[in-house]
Amino acid sequence: MAPDTLDMALAARTPENVIHHSDQGLQYTSLAFGNRCKDAGVRASTGSASDAYDNAMCKSFFATLECELLDRHSFRSYGEARSWAAR
């Protein structure tokens, strides 16, 4: 995600208190990307080098969330889905 793409995501979603987790790819470790994250209040997080499992717990959580919640319920709004997920 280059700084331009980050800007598009921020404009579309206006997130608060978020963490952007990525691998250690060049675009994510660049000064431009780091500065843009800092300016936007986004905390940047990168995985450890040569560790394919650093993100496994997060992926497992979201897979479970999708199977247990999103595939079994339909929501009328983002707020309703968020309330269910926060239980």
Side-chain angles (χ1 to χ4, degrees), residues 9-71:
L10 292 168
R13 299 199 175 130
T14 60
E16 294 180 21
N17 195 27
V18 297
I19 298 171
H20 176 274
H21 182 75
S22 67
D23 60 21
Q24 290 191 12
L26 184 63
Q27 69 272 31
Y28 304 119
T29 57
S30 71
L31 289 175
F33 187 78
N35 288 335
R36 185 61 194 105
C37 284
K38 185 177 179 182
D39 292 345
V42 174
R43 290 180 285 169
S45 167
T46 56
S48 53
S50 302
D51 184 0
Y53 301 105
D54 71 334
N55 205 22
M57 184 168 47
C58 184
K59 286 184 178 183
S60 176
F61 168 77
F62 282 108
T64 300
L65 181 67
E66 183 178 1
C67 290
E68 297 294 327
L69 182 63
L70 300 180
D71 288 349

Side-chain angles (χ1 to χ4, degrees), residues 67-79:
C67 290
E68 297 294 327
L69 182 63
L70 300 180
D71 288 349
R72 296 180 185 185
H73 299 281
S74 57
F75 300 99
R76 289 174 274 175
S77 68
Y78 175 76

